[in-house]
Amino acid sequence: MPRAWKTLDTDFPNYYLTSRLAHEGVDMSRAYEWRWLQRQKDHRAIDQRVVGLVPITPFSTLFLWPLDGLQPLAAKHIWLLLQMFGLVAIAGVLRAITGQPLRRIAMLIVICFPIYRNFLYGQFYILLLGMIVGGCWAYQRGHSKLAGTLVALATATKVFPVIFVLYFIRKRDWQALCAAMLTGAAAALISVHVFGWQMHLVYLREVLPWTLRGEALPPYMLAGSSISTLLHRLFIYEPQWNAHPWCPAPAMVAILQPLLQAVILAPALLLVRRGVRSRLQIAMEWSAVLTASLAISTVPASYNFALLLLPIAVLCSYLLPHRRLAALGVVLLYVGIGYPGWNAANVDGLRALLHVPRLYLVLAFTLVLYRALGLRLRWRRGVAREDLIWCGALALVVSSSIVSGLLRQDGLYDDYAYRIPADAGVFLAGSPVEWKGVVSSVSLVAEGYHIWPHAPGSALDEGNARLGFDDLALTSDGTTAWTEEVSTRSRLVSSDVGGPGSIEEAESPVLAADGRHLAYLREEGGGYRLFTRALMSPELAEVATTPKEMDVDGATFLPDGSLIVSAFAKERSYQLFHVRIGAEPQQLKLGKARYPAVSPDGHWLAYSHFEAGVWNLWLMDRGTGSTRRITHAACNQTDASWERDSKTLLYASDCGRSLWFTAICRRRVIP
């Protein structure tokens, strides 16, 4: 608690900042973009090195709505106190559910390391535990509607409790199911009203699918101790994160992940009996569904396992009267799952199997619950028709998941052939440009966002890390570069010592190929407006290039000084426009498109087109207007820029990695 009280640490600022931005009326369409959210954090002087919203649901951040008017650390203080009171209330409800004395429940809380992590990081799992425990208590007492309501709120907060909806269907409890559906719809409407529809579209179409596959965050880190992490480590080659898998066979991940998840989850559902309504039986069923959900989770962090407080309390109430030794063994499993000192180092080959001990302990805990639940049931001879239907439905879901996973791998790893090697300490890289013969990018490292040259022996310039600001955008004409430096304000800084110096209150610089003009964004009226400046005539003032009502996202210069810009159109999707000073912007008929880049000779326009949930690279011949697709993969290729030959593209790709954790590629696209 002393450390938690003194520092923001990791996750709390993500929730706090998102809620605060919505409270301030900021357009949240780009909230899931790492650099955009980092810029907002820096402008508000929040003392946290790196922030990011992926894979958090928008609704979950609303719990901090009453606190986001306070300073971040003061808000965390109140949040910690609320969690302390909540934990006391949870202990009381667990006593009512299990009949265990409070001293025993208090002991289970004290030996739960994940609860300590919840306090340290300001996480949400004590709140989530309260919802699930409250739902179990309500269901024990026949309050189906209340149970369904709490499950829906838990699902809107962290997604995976949605499996309890299957529990209600299995029980044929339509009241609980309807209450869950109505509450879920109400939560969605509230969230859309606060954050806007575009943010939710990004979450549903781009963030959630990657989360379900275990690829919302880097999937090769064994500290995650999930089935998804282990399979990625064993079977998928990735040049930077997993250069030596045991057997490079990505198809095995597509097949084994949904299959193993179904095998683990199936007993939790099949052991549910519609006609059994004893309180202990219901508590054990809820515990089994909850534990199975954690066992198949694709992104389980250590603090997630605070939720095991319900299953361990229920198992103790079942085992202690007659099987004290078994109860002791289960408690040891519980302590082991939460133990923070396991060796989870990233190792190569089959040794990875020895570095996910938490996964094995969770699976063992799940099997113990299944065994205990099965012993309480009076088994019938043969297999019930209803069970066959459920098995068939699960088999259908698994089959469709395998097929879609195999189809998704078409072209998924093609970008490896064009990858520019990066240091192991670079998590993501974007805005690649050629500068003095070396490809440089904005890279996320442990110290924040900084300019990183992708050349043998290159390393981070520690200067701006010590100064405490982030570099969030980079542009170059080949010899001179402009960088966006961000602290409480954004400013643009030139690498040319004798040049025009810096520009205050400006973001996302774009330099013309001849180095004579600079374009940049400035926030106005809740959106972004594009401005240009003639660098060869510093006495001239900047010029507003786009109308106020046009919310600009990015731009690129044409040889005649006009620009192609990416902006939100009236239909609230990204579109490309041709912009000339003093003229009405003309929309290019290229569909949903972002990240424009015109070649130095002005002949080619590269851009990213959105289709089927991902951004792929396309090319337009500006002379004929014809277009062709460059990449075909279920991953994102963005931030394109041209080398001086007007034939070679630099771009950022998250193919084979995780969502928007991009690496830099160089690809010749013109013969």
Side-chain angles (χ1 to χ4, degrees):
M1 282 297 291
R3 180 179 168 189
W5 195 264
K6 294 176 183 177
T7 61
L8 290 176
D9 219 337
T10 311
D11 290 335
F12 181 81
N14 303 332
Y15 296 92
Y16 168 87
L17 176 60
T18 307
S19 176
R20 178 171 167 179
L21 291 174
H23 224 149
E24 293 175 359
V26 175
D27 184 352
M28 301 298 289
S29 302
R30 299 176 61 191
Y32 282 103
E33 297 178 20
W34 286 83
R35 282 187 282 167
W36 183 89
L37 197 65
Q38 184 81 3
R39 184 183 288 114
Q40 306 306 315
K41 182 270 297 182
D42 288 343
H43 287 175
R44 288 155 183 80
I46 295 175
D47 186 19
Q48 173 68 21
R49 196 63 231 123
V50 177
V51 296
L53 194 56
V54 177
I56 297 168
T57 65
F59 180 83
S60 63
T61 66
L62 290 178
F63 289 102
L64 290 181
W65 187 270
L67 305 179
D68 60 33
L70 303 172
Q71 290 300 308
L73 199 55
K76 187 181 180 184
H77 292 165
I78 296 177
W79 183 246
L80 290 174
L81 293 175
L82 290 174
Q83 290 198 88
M84 289 291 290
F85 287 119
L87 203 53
V88 172
I90 288 170
V93 178
L94 283 174
R95 182 188 181 191
I97 289 173
T98 64
Q100 295 293 292
L102 279 176
R103 66 178 182 277
R104 190 169 292 159
I105 293 171
M107 182 181 70
L108 293 175
I109 292 174
V110 168
I111 62 176
C112 183
F113 292 104
I115 287 180
Y116 297 130
R117 291 291 176 91
N118 267 267
F119 284 118
L120 180 60
Y121 298 155
Q123 257 292 351
F124 272 59
Y125 284 89
I126 292 176
L127 172 65
L128 192 65
L129 175 64
M131 294 177 186
I132 295 174
V133 167
C136 181
W137 175 88
Y139 206 72
Q140 276 186 328
R141 286 150 182 80
H143 305 309
S144 296
K145 295 178 182 177
L146 177 58
T149 297
L150 290 172
V151 162
L153 291 175
T155 300
T157 304
K158 288 295 177 185
V159 180
F160 68 83
V162 72
I163 294 177
F164 279 99
V165 171
L166 299 179
Y167 173 78
F168 295 145
I169 296 174
R170 178 74 176 170
K171 282 283 192 181
R172 296 190 184 180
D173 192 332
W174 311 125
Q175 285 190 342
L177 182 63
C178 288
M181 300 298 286
L182 290 173
T183 305
L189 289 174
I190 292 171
S191 189
V192 169
H193 174 72
V194 172
F195 296 107
W197 179 238
Q198 183 64 28
M199 180 180 177
H200 290 80
L201 276 181
V202 172
Y203 179 79
L204 292 173
R205 296 194 298 192
E206 302 181 54
V207 178
L208 184 58
W210 289 68
T211 302
L212 296 177
R213 292 193 299 267
E215 296 173 347
L217 296 173
Y220 302 97
M221 310 306 167
L222 291 174
S225 289
S226 69
I227 294 171
S228 174
T229 294
L230 181 59
L231 293 177
H232 276 77
R233 196 77 193 177
L234 290 174
F235 296 114
I236 297 182
Y237 167 76
E238 204 286 328
Q240 181 184 355
W241 290 338
N242 195 32
H244 305 286
W246 171 58
C247 176
M252 295 300 294
V253 178
I255 295 169
L256 290 177
Q257 183 166 316
L259 184 61
L260 291 175
Q261 288 175 326
V263 168
I264 294 168
L265 178 62
L269 299 175
L270 296 177
L271 288 171
V272 172
R273 287 293 177 261
R274 178 159 48 98
V276 181
R277 296 291 299 182
S278 76
R279 290 187 176 182
L280 179 57
Q281 178 70 21
I282 288 173
M284 292 186 70
E285 290 174 351
W286 276 67
S287 298
V289 172
L290 177 59
T291 306
S293 303
L294 291 171
I296 67 173
S297 174
T298 56
V299 283
S302 60
Y303 43 73
N304 295 38
F305 296 98
L307 299 174
L308 289 182
L309 189 58
L310 171 62
I312 188 62
V314 171
L315 273 176
C316 285
S317 69
Y318 173 70
L319 294 173
L320 277 173
H322 308 294
R323 300 180 179 87
R324 288 181 174 268
L325 190 59
L328 176 60
V330 170
V331 169
L332 291 177
L333 280 177
Y334 167 72
V335 173
I337 290 169
Y339 177 62
W342 292 115
N343 183 359
N346 294 322
V347 294
D348 297 329
L350 283 178
R351 288 190 299 162
L353 292 169
L354 303 177
H355 287 252
V356 285
R358 180 180 289 122
L359 174 61
Y360 303 139
L361 294 176
V362 172
L363 293 176
F365 191 90
T366 307
L367 290 175
V368 170
L369 253 174
Y370 289 166
R371 172 67 174 168
L373 188 54
L375 289 174
R376 284 189 49 81
L377 296 176
R378 184 176 300 172
W379 292 97
R380 300 183 295 270
R381 291 184 179 179
V383 180
R385 180 183 176 185
E386 182 181 2
D387 292 343
L388 288 175
I389 294 174
W390 277 84
C391 288
L394 283 173
L396 184 62
V397 171
V398 170
S399 300
S400 62
S401 297
I402 291 174
V403 171
S404 65
L406 292 173
L407 292 175
R408 180 179 177 270
Q409 292 184 358
D410 182 30
L412 188 61
Y413 308 103
D414 290 352
D415 276 346
Y416 288 178
Y418 311 105
R419 182 84 66 84
I420 298 177
D423 188 273
V426 175
F427 299 113
L428 66 85
S431 298
V433 296
E434 185 184 22
W435 177 18
K436 295 182 178 179
V438 175
V439 175
S440 297
S441 70
V442 173
S443 297
L444 171 60
V445 293
E447 297 84 1
Y449 292 82
H450 304 293
I451 304 304
W452 192 292
H454 294 261
S458 62
L460 171 69
D461 179 3
E462 299 289 346
N464 39 354
R466 290 193 298 270
L467 291 173
F469 58 76
D470 288 304
D471 297 321
L472 293 184
L474 175 67
T475 185
S476 174
D477 63 352
T479 56
T480 302
W482 282 80
T483 305
E484 178 190 353
E485 295 180 352
V486 186
S487 55
T488 54
R489 296 187 301 175
S490 292
R491 68 168 185 162
L492 306 184
V493 179
S494 172
S495 65
D496 185 357
V497 177
S502 64
I503 302 173
E504 301 297 328
E505 303 290 348
E507 304 173 8
S508 305
V510 178
L511 194 59
D514 59 6
R516 300 176 64 86
H517 292 84
L518 180 71
Y520 47 87
L521 303 182
R522 181 170 289 139
E523 194 169 356
E524 278 192 5
Y528 286 93
R529 194 176 186 187
L530 186 71
F531 291 81
T532 56
R533 182 184 294 255
L535 298 178
M536 299 299 103
S537 304
E539 70 279 1
L540 297 179
E542 64 185 15
V543 178
T545 311
T546 56
K548 290 183 178 180
E549 62 273 11
M550 193 175 192
D551 189 4
V552 180
D553 166 65
T556 181
F557 275 100
L558 293 168
D560 63 1
S562 63
L563 299 106
I564 304 293
V565 305
S566 165
F568 271 128
K570 294 179 180 178
E571 56 269 28
R572 302 304 294 166
S573 65
Y574 289 106
Q575 304 285 337
L576 297 186
F577 297 83
H578 187 192
V579 174
R580 296 179 179 86
I581 296 176
E584 190 73 19
Q586 296 179 342
Q587 183 174 335
L588 305 182
K589 304 300 182 182
L590 298 174
K592 186 172 183 179
R594 287 181 77 181
Y595 310 106
V598 172
S599 59
D601 62 9
H603 190 75
W604 303 100
L605 170 65
Y607 60 96
S608 297
H609 179 267
F610 185 81
E611 186 177 340
V614 294
W615 296 90
N616 282 165
L617 284 176
W618 284 65
L619 197 65
M620 184 181 85
D621 186 329
R622 295 193 59 252
T624 65
S626 62
T627 62
R628 65 180 174 93
R629 191 169 187 166
I630 300 174
T631 59
H632 301 73
C635 49
N636 298 289
Q637 293 110 348
T638 59
D639 282 354
S641 69
W642 291 88
E643 292 194 341
R644 304 300 295 172
D645 62 3
S646 294
K647 297 181 178 181
T648 305
L649 270 182
L650 301 170
Y651 60 93
S653 168
D654 63 14
C655 298
R657 293 168 64 85
S658 59
L659 180 63
W660 300 323
F661 276 77
T662 50
I664 303 304
C665 299
R666 175 194 276 123
R667 183 170 184 169
R668 189 179 179 95
V669 295
I670 306 299

